[in-house]
Amino acid sequence: MKSLYVVSVITIIVSFIVNKDKTIKGLTIGKNKFMNILPNYLKLLIIISLVLLLSENFIVTYLAQDNMILGLLSSIIIGSITIMPGFIAYPLAKILLNKGVPYMVVSGFVTSLMLVGLVTYPVEKEYFGRKATILRNIGGITIAALIAIITGILYGEVLM
Amino acid sequence: MEKDMKNNGMEKKKMEKKRKAKRDYLIFLGFLAISLISKLSSFDLGIRMWDNFLIFAKDMVLILPPSFALIGLFDAWAKRESIEKHFGKTSSPLRFVWSVLLAMTTVGGTFVSFPLANALYHKGAKYSSIMTYVTASSLFMIPMSIMEASMLGIKFTAIRLLASLPFIIIISLLLEKHLESTNYVLPLMEK
């Protein structure tokens, strides 16, 4: 986070020394782009704060299933719907592993959590349009499922 | 005459956007009011909602302003030819390496990579480059990966990251093939 500020300040200063007008133009573009998308980010934050109300218990109950295929499916569905910061997601993943949930299911959960964002739709749609957003997220679900299965194979949980 | 009509359409779109923005700000104000009332009346669910809001809001307040300053400067400085050469129609498969490296150095994950991907596209980057970039930016975050490996094991994280690379590239190429064949164009963000 600090590095982002260091890089930004240095870039702005260098850019300003090289060409003042271009720098002002660039910063104005940045400001306008930000103001244009701000309402969508606010909407996104509200959706996230509602989705995170899904209790950890709920997630643990659904992922800790005896049936591995059902567990994998739920992990990808729940992971796709929600979004979590790492400091919540990883301790939760650890709890799941301790409860005996297979690595395959935890991998599907963590990967789809990061890769697929139903809740980020209001922002992504503005930049990619509806069609590309939907296709990209379907691609993300596919990747998450494949990675989960590979994890399962490499941990010896799935028989080939 | 035709131009006038086009302008008219754009004006309409702008007005529509403004109206939507106004509505979103109102919803947000409502959200703030509900949170405040929850705090005052110690309504548990409302307080938890507000705490959840703060988790991501803090990051966004810190990350988004400098990121958009950099995206604006990128827009002003980046030359079309050099973007095309590294990410676009005159690029080699090395573009996937550049896209993943760019993703690894993007602070803020997809919240920042969506707008940058859009800017890259309008400077001449191909779909396969920006799709690889956006997808990798949500998976490859150095601090996050270190945290993951320390909690869930290096093997777990290594499998997840290494196995994902080929799939990310294959899926990006498939998306590109489809989007190009249907002449799909990404929305142009106003400057």
Side-chain angles (χ1 to χ4, degrees), chain A residues 5 15 41 111 127-128 131, chain B residues 62 77 111 118 160 182 184:
Chain A
Y5 277 85
S15 168
Y41 274 107
T111 310
Y127 290 114
F128 281 12
K131 185 176 159 195
Chain B
L62 287 172
W77 282 103
F111 295 140
N118 184 282
R160 258 176 22 82
T182 51
Y184 189 78

Side-chain angles (χ1 to χ4, degrees), chain B residues 22-59:
Chain B
K22 222 179 193 172
R23 190 198 60 196
D24 288 344
Y25 282 124
L26 277 177
I27 294 176
F28 184 65
L29 277 180
F31 176 80
L32 288 182
I34 292 172
S35 303
L36 186 69
I37 294 168
S38 307
K39 275 260 181 221
L40 292 177
S41 58
S42 39
F43 172 54
D44 179 56
L45 203 67
I47 294 174
R48 268 179 35 219
M49 192 179 73
W50 175 249
D51 291 340
N52 291 338
F53 171 79
L54 283 185
I55 294 173
F56 278 92
K58 270 188 212 152
D59 268 6

Side-chain angles (χ1 to χ4, degrees), chain A residues 17-101:
Chain A
I17 294 169
V18 180
N19 188 331
K20 195 176 131 191
D21 293 338
K22 229 175 185 176
T23 309
I24 293 172
K25 191 183 146 216
L27 291 177
T28 316
I29 293 174
K31 193 199 92 195
N32 291 344
K33 281 187 190 238
F34 181 61
M35 292 314 287
N36 269 325
I37 199 71
L38 185 61
N40 299 71
Y41 274 107
L42 292 177
K43 207 173 0 180
L44 174 74
L45 283 173
I46 296 176
I47 299 174
I48 291 176
S49 54
L50 291 174
V51 165
L52 277 181
L53 287 178
L54 267 184
S55 68
E56 297 195 353
N57 280 336
F58 172 86
I59 294 174
V60 172
T61 335
Y62 266 86
L63 298 198
Q65 303 211 20
D66 288 334
N67 187 326
M68 230 198 246
I69 294 172
L70 277 184
L72 179 61
L73 274 179
S74 348
S75 76
I76 288 173
I77 292 170
I78 296 177
S80 301
I81 294 171
T82 52
I83 179 170
M84 279 179 197
F87 67 87
I88 295 181
Y90 297 132
L92 181 57
K94 182 100 194 166
I95 294 173
L96 290 170
L97 287 176
N98 288 341
K99 288 211 171 214
V101 174

